[in-house]
Amino acid sequence: SLAPARRSGRSCRLQSPRCCHARGSRMAVRVGRFLGRGESGVRPAVPVYFYGAAREDGRPLAALRRSLGYFGGASRGEWSGLSEEMAAAMRALAPDVGPQEVDPRHGAAVVGAVPWVTNYNLLLTSVGLDQAELMSRCRRIARLTSARGGGLQAVETMALPHEMGVEVACNLLDTAATPAPHVRSRVVELAEAEGLNLESDYFTNKQPEEILAFVQDEELAAEGNIARENKKQKCT
């Protein structure tokens, strides 16, 4: 799999989710080396590619995925297995750590540390269009929405097959620069021009505030358990 393992360190209580970036970069490298080493009889070693702050050049995740042929398979809905295209790309691009050859049984890993990325998807549908034409129109929409295609700042996009239509999947790299409602407005405008409908839109990962609140609750619960254990020991 080429799904990224993003690490950003512990949460610094309820401070900004960006506050642990330096710690996260060190942790990402440790995790990558751990995966690259493997453990005999327990887990296989896999090629590991670093991105973001885990590398000195700060290689973007999108650039790495593009180099490894990820987007070609993803656009066809191929989420598992090692295509010939990806195998050739991995042979051409040496991993940062781990085996130099990818084993199709185990795949490879990409590991990095970046500021928080919000995953936001919009499902587009149509009446009377076949899937190929719908995909073609949605790819145009995705391209014109993305920063790379001259669209919105700090937005990465791709069009993905969906059982009900096509998803315009977005990585929002900086929601202060481009919040989700701006992305929605852009996609709706482009979809209307293509004769398509916005069926639904949704976040596919938790928001930083949700995770930080969860961590705080867990820490408070742990502190409460420790306090109760200490009280019990004093009573005995």
Side-chain angles (χ1 to χ4, degrees):
S1 169
L2 284 181
R6 292 197 190 98
R7 299 305 298 260
S8 57
R10 282 176 61 88
S11 70
C12 295
R13 302 292 280 184
L14 287 182
Q15 299 175 30
S16 164
R18 298 171 187 266
C19 67
C20 298
H21 194 174
R23 182 189 289 178
S25 65
R26 294 192 294 270
M27 182 177 289
V29 172
R30 289 200 299 270
V31 169
R33 289 174 177 167
F34 175 81
L35 296 174
R37 284 195 307 270
E39 187 174 350
S40 179
V42 178
R43 54 183 173 78
V46 298
V48 178
Y49 297 86
F50 290 130
Y51 69 92
R55 276 177 61 104
E56 289 188 6
D57 63 2
R59 175 170 59 188
L61 174 59
L64 173 59
R65 283 175 159 175
R66 194 169 291 111
S67 298
L68 295 177
Y70 170 85
F71 291 118
S75 66
R76 296 188 295 270
E78 298 173 358
W79 296 108
S80 62
L82 183 68
S83 68
E84 292 183 7
E85 176 189 12
M86 294 182 71
M90 289 182 188
R91 286 193 293 270
L93 182 65
D96 294 287
V97 295
Q100 295 299 297
E101 286 287 332
V102 61
D103 186 327
R105 297 172 300 171
H106 310 308
V110 298
V111 185
V114 294
W116 188 265
V117 176
T118 296
N119 303 134
Y120 176 57
N121 289 8
L122 303 99
L123 175 60
L124 300 180
T125 60
S126 69
V127 177
L129 294 180
D130 61 27
Q131 187 67 16
E133 178 60 26
L134 176 59
M135 175 59 76
S136 176
R137 298 187 186 194
C138 288
R139 282 178 177 163
R140 282 197 294 270
I141 292 170
R143 183 172 61 252
L144 293 172
T145 300
S146 71
R148 190 166 183 260
L152 300 175
Q153 180 183 352
V155 176
E156 298 174 344
T157 65
M158 62 188 303
L160 301 175
H162 187 280
E163 60 183 6
M164 293 178 59
V166 173
E167 281 183 317
V168 175
C170 305
N171 284 344
L172 310 187
L173 306 182
D174 185 354
T175 54
T178 305
H182 289 189
V183 178
R184 188 183 192 280
S185 296
R186 173 74 168 179
V187 170
V188 167
E189 177 186 3
L190 294 170
E192 289 177 350
E194 294 280 1
L196 306 182
N197 306 310
L198 175 63
E199 185 72 22
S200 59
D201 59 310
Y202 36 85
F203 296 101
T204 60
N205 64 338
K206 289 187 179 295
Q207 299 304 293
E209 295 77 12
E210 295 178 89
I211 293 177
L212 293 175
F214 171 79
V215 170
Q216 184 186 47
D217 290 342
E218 289 294 302
E219 289 178 344
L220 291 175
E223 291 169 1
N225 289 336
I226 292 171
R228 283 190 292 273
E229 285 298 318
N230 290 340
K231 184 177 181 180
K232 186 184 298 184
Q233 290 176 8
K234 289 179 179 179
C235 291
T236 56

